[in-house]
């Protein structure tokens, strides 16, 4: 379970048309960019990428994470991805 608290008044942008985007929104309210594999629902064919489905207005920084989560986040880096600017994260 993600041990980050929802930040009071944290605005998010919901970018998906899921019937119940509650879990996406809850993660984004914690400052996390939320991606999901949406190829199964794409009418344009496979994207072969994770698609941004919810964006926090105020993203959390690695330095603001609890120590154990910070270690995991720092170990999982993506050289060509800047989450604030990436609507897709391609699978290579």
């Amino acid at each position: 379970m993600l041990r980050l608290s929802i930040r009071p008044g944290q605005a998010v942008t919901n970018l998906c048309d899921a019937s119940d985007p509650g879990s996406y929104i809850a993660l984004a309210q914690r400052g996390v960019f939320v991606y999901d594999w949406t190829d199964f629902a794409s009418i344009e064919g496979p994207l072969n990428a994770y698609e941004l489905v919810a964006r926090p207005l105020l993203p959390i920084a690695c330095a603001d994470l609890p120590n154990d989560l910070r270690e995991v986040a720092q170990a999982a880096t993506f050289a060509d991805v800047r989450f604030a600017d990436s609507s897709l994260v391609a699978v290579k």
Side-chain angles (χ1 to χ4, degrees):
M1 171 148 208
L2 189 60
R3 296 178 300 122
L4 297 174
S5 299
I6 292 176
R7 301 177 196 176
Q10 169 69 292
V12 303
T13 302
N14 178 26
L15 301 168
C16 71
D17 59 1
S19 60
D20 183 12
S23 61
Y24 300 145
I25 291 170
L27 282 169
Q29 286 175 318
R30 289 165 168 83
V32 178
F33 288 89
V34 184
Y35 290 80
D36 196 8
W37 188 261
T38 57
D39 272 359
F40 63 89
S42 176
I43 60 172
E44 298 173 7
L47 297 172
N48 293 321
Y50 288 90
E51 186 173 10
L52 183 63
V53 293
R55 171 192 311 270
L57 180 63
L58 300 170
I60 194 165
C62 270
D64 297 330
L65 292 170
N67 288 339
D68 55 341
L69 292 177
R70 184 179 325 122
E71 289 175 13
V72 171
Q74 289 173 333
T77 59
F78 300 88
D80 300 331
V81 176
R82 186 170 187 276
F83 293 115
D85 299 328
S86 300
S87 61
L88 296 173
V89 175
V91 175
K92 297 180 182 180

